[in-house]
Amino acid sequence: MIEDLSIRLQSYLAPKLAAPDLVVSDLARIPGGASRETYRFRAHYTKNDRPIERALVLRRDPVASLIETDRTTEFRAYGAFHKLGLPVPEPIALELNTAALERPFFIMEEITDCSAGSILAPDPYGEHREKVGQQFWGILGRIAKPDPADIGLGDFDGARDTGSCWRHELARWEKVIDEDESEPQPIARAAIRRLRRNPPPPAQKISVVHGDYRTGNFLSDTNGNIRAILDWEMAHLGDPLEDLAWALDPLWSHGDPTHPAGTIERERAIAVWEKSSGLRVEPQALAWWETFASLKGLAIWISAAREYAQGRNTEGVNAFSGWFCLAFHNKVLADRLGGAS
Amino acid sequence: MTPEADHILKVSAGQLMAGVIPLLPNAYSQGSTALLAFLMLFAAEEYERGADIRAADNADMRAAFGAVTPLVGDTTLKAKLDEAAASADASLLISALDKSNAHLRALLIELQIYLEEQPGDDARAGEKRIWTVLQASAARRLLKSPVG
């Protein structure tokens, strides 16, 4: 199977890179989340009589996905932020036609000699936690900074005006719960009602929101340098506080919410983000988006549980998400909302 | 002594971790298999507590319905709450407990919406009572991280 994929990939890439002698080697599946099948490989070819070896990654749509995401969105986000000089892999090719590899896919540069932190690791960055933290929160601020239209992403899905960001996202994830819940979810439903009754202030601006900026979705090297921000498939336009709140969520805090994402103290993380983005964090607004973040998590885990239970996608990560993560976010929301009723 | 299912699952997960994963050829198959071992540990935990947490959830909801029903003026809702408060789990099969649980949860949502729309301290106290049930349920269902 992997040999067949390798040959088909070779046939696709040779004309794309104008390299008729291109050979694909070392194709192997790697962890990359449940929303895409991810493979690394090497492409060998000659250009101007010089031998070239490129480390590349293939991201192919799965048969069924954890959440329905648009690979075009992900590909374009990679391109826009790579050009801005953020640590984002260079996108190489996007293919929506299913003829080449049976399902849509895209190819991008592989960032080598790096690893992603596990959300279950107690201290994923060890001695580099300060350095990783400064970069992690700073890069998130840099993502919030550009006007989406200036980087060619002004047509992304999402809110178009600062007053409707919250409404747009809340409706989006409520719909996911409506469609995917297999049993009544009283905590999620109460959270939706509470958020709707108590909307946040308007966003300070409309930004590109990464949508899943957290531990596990960036690569760092052994010296604590963040080399790649990955998994842009949920990118959209909205309130930049949405990304900040998601990154601060306790699920990615490695058991210590005072050090979100397993990095620096929460107050310092927010200060780094403010300095980098040029925006300020209004506590009431952030509190709304933090509750929303846990609700969005619940929606994703509810979808994962359904995918697994119905046999559409039985990857272990779906069972893990629909079980461990769902229970975790129910607890977070019950404590947050129950303490304030 | 016959080994219980949770014991078998824990031992098997350990054998996967120590004996099988190191032999696998790449990071993807190793990571995927480690995740399967984690799921076996969760399943072991659930085997021991699964019926208990569902029965406790159901009992808590029935008790809350009984306590809050005097605050409910809507006769249709009140009748449903009274009926649910007087009900009991006839079977400890997980599937049967889940069926009751789904019915009771749906009613809990209906009650919560009703109370949120009512003015006054009594309604707030009723809401508080429901949140106590939800917090206890969420705490009960939390899974231990397999890596501490």
Side-chain angles (χ1 to χ4, degrees):
Chain A
M1 199 172 104
I2 205 87
E3 291 79 12
D4 177 57
L5 184 60
S6 191
I7 291 164
R8 295 173 79 167
L9 188 56
Q10 194 168 291
S11 303
Y12 173 82
L13 259 186
K16 273 279 170 193
L17 297 180
D21 63 340
L22 184 142
V23 174
V24 165
S25 73
D26 304 305
L27 180 70
R29 190 158 179 190
I30 56 174
S35 57
R36 302 271 184 274
E37 287 175 3
T38 307
Y39 302 81
R40 71 156 59 99
F41 64 97
R42 296 286 178 273
H44 309 265
Y45 53 97
T46 50
K47 205 85 179 177
N48 301 324
D49 297 326
R50 287 179 49 212
I52 291 174
E53 178 184 318
R54 293 186 79 176
L56 299 173
V57 163
L58 164 70
R59 297 261 287 162
R60 181 168 72 156
D61 282 17
V63 177
S65 173
L66 179 58
I67 41 171
E68 298 304 325
T69 60
D70 186 344
R71 83 288 307 164
T72 306
T73 295
E74 185 173 14
F75 187 81
R76 289 179 58 203
Y78 275 118
F81 285 97
H82 176 78
K83 273 187 206 156
L84 277 186
L86 266 72
V88 172
E90 180 188 4
I92 307 292
L94 169 69
E95 185 56 62
L96 301 179
N97 195 307
T98 57
L101 300 183
E102 295 172 352
R103 285 169 249 143
F105 63 91
F106 68 86
I107 292 164
M108 63 184 184
E109 167 194 17
E110 183 191 359
I111 307 299
T112 56
D113 303 318
C114 288
S115 61
S118 162
I119 67 165
L120 294 176
D123 184 15
Y125 312 114
E127 61 178 318
H128 299 306
R129 109 183 346 235
E130 172 74 27
K131 186 176 177 182
V132 169
Q134 291 287 340
Q135 295 168 82
F136 178 76
W137 301 104
I139 292 166
L140 184 57
R142 290 172 66 195
I143 292 170
K145 208 160 189 174
D147 184 320
D150 291 346
I151 56 172
L153 304 180
D155 61 339
F156 264 22
D157 179 48
R160 292 291 179 271
D161 66 272
T162 55
S164 66
C165 296
W166 71 270
R167 196 179 295 111
H168 189 280
E169 289 308 304
L170 186 57
R172 176 184 177 197
W173 292 104
E174 182 181 21
K175 184 168 179 280
V176 170
I177 295 172
D178 288 345
E179 290 173 353
D180 290 352
E181 73 174 357
S182 52
E183 58 193 2
Q185 298 287 343
I187 295 171
R189 296 296 174 183
I192 291 167
R193 295 193 302 275
R194 182 79 65 88
L195 289 168
R196 189 165 282 132
R197 278 200 308 270
N198 303 282
Q204 292 165 71
K205 61 176 292 195
I206 298 287
S207 294
V208 174
V209 175
H210 178 286
D212 197 11
Y213 191 93
R214 61 168 174 83
T215 299
N217 279 345
F218 70 89
L219 300 177
S220 57
D221 64 23
T222 52
N223 295 316
N225 299 304
I226 292 185
R227 303 264 312 279
I229 305 297
L230 305 172
D231 292 330
W232 292 75
E233 63 252 43
M234 291 202 287
H236 59 276
L237 304 186
D239 189 330
L241 288 183
E242 182 190 339
D243 258 347
L244 180 62
W246 182 251
L248 291 168
D249 191 90
L251 185 56
W252 336 115
S253 290
H254 307 272
D256 178 10
T258 66
H259 290 75
T263 61
I264 56 180
E265 296 86 346
R266 178 184 162 96
E267 295 72 22
R268 290 177 59 223
I270 292 171
V272 170
W273 182 87
E274 285 182 317
K275 188 175 176 191
S276 173
S277 66
L279 301 169
R280 67 191 156 70
V281 172
E282 202 275 301
Q284 185 202 343
L286 182 61
W288 191 96
W289 284 106
E290 287 192 87
T291 300
F292 170 80
S294 295
L295 173 71
K296 171 177 157 179
L298 272 187
I300 295 169
W301 317 138
I302 286 167
S303 280
R306 193 186 77 143
E307 291 292 304
Y308 190 89
Q310 294 188 343
R312 290 183 64 210
N313 184 334
T314 52
E315 291 225 23
V317 67
N318 278 339
F320 178 82
S321 301
W323 201 356
F324 180 88
C325 300
L326 184 67
F328 185 95
H329 269 142
N330 262 325
K331 175 78 166 58
V332 169
L333 277 176
D335 288 346
R336 187 176 291 155
L337 300 178
S341 65
Chain B
M1 192 173 91
T2 306
E4 288 287 348
D6 56 341
H7 181 66
I8 294 169
L9 285 165
K10 284 178 193 168
V11 170
S12 301
Q15 288 169 341
L16 266 186
M17 294 285 226
V20 176
I21 289 172
L23 304 176
L24 294 173
N26 57 50
Y28 178 74
S29 54
Q30 288 176 351
S32 301
T33 309
L35 193 51
L36 294 181
F38 288 174
L39 292 172
M40 290 164 73
L41 295 175
F42 290 157
E45 192 180 346
E46 198 69 5
Y47 170 83
E48 170 67 7
R49 68 180 199 167
D52 186 62
I53 60 175
R54 286 161 176 78
D57 273 8
N58 292 351
D60 272 7
M61 283 191 277
R62 290 183 177 112
F65 294 159
V68 173
T69 190
L71 307 175
V72 176
D74 180 309
T75 53
T76 308
L77 177 59
K78 189 175 171 54
K80 285 197 280 188
L81 291 169
D82 286 338
E83 185 186 356
S87 66
D89 289 316
S91 164
L92 291 179
L93 286 176
I94 295 287
S95 56
L97 291 169
D98 275 344
K99 193 174 173 187
S100 301
N101 192 260
H103 171 71
L104 294 168
R105 279 192 193 204
L107 190 54
L108 191 85
I109 293 171
E110 203 177 331
L111 174 60
Q112 205 172 16
I113 292 170
Y114 173 84
L115 290 171
E116 286 169 3
E117 290 167 352
Q118 304 303 309
D121 292 344
D122 285 350
R124 299 295 76 75
E127 277 190 76
K128 187 76 189 167
R129 176 69 197 257
I130 290 174
W131 275 112
T132 304
V133 170
L134 291 172
Q135 285 173 317
S137 171
R140 228 174 254 135
R141 288 172 181 259
L142 210 56
L143 288 149
K144 289 191 203 93
S145 168
V147 290

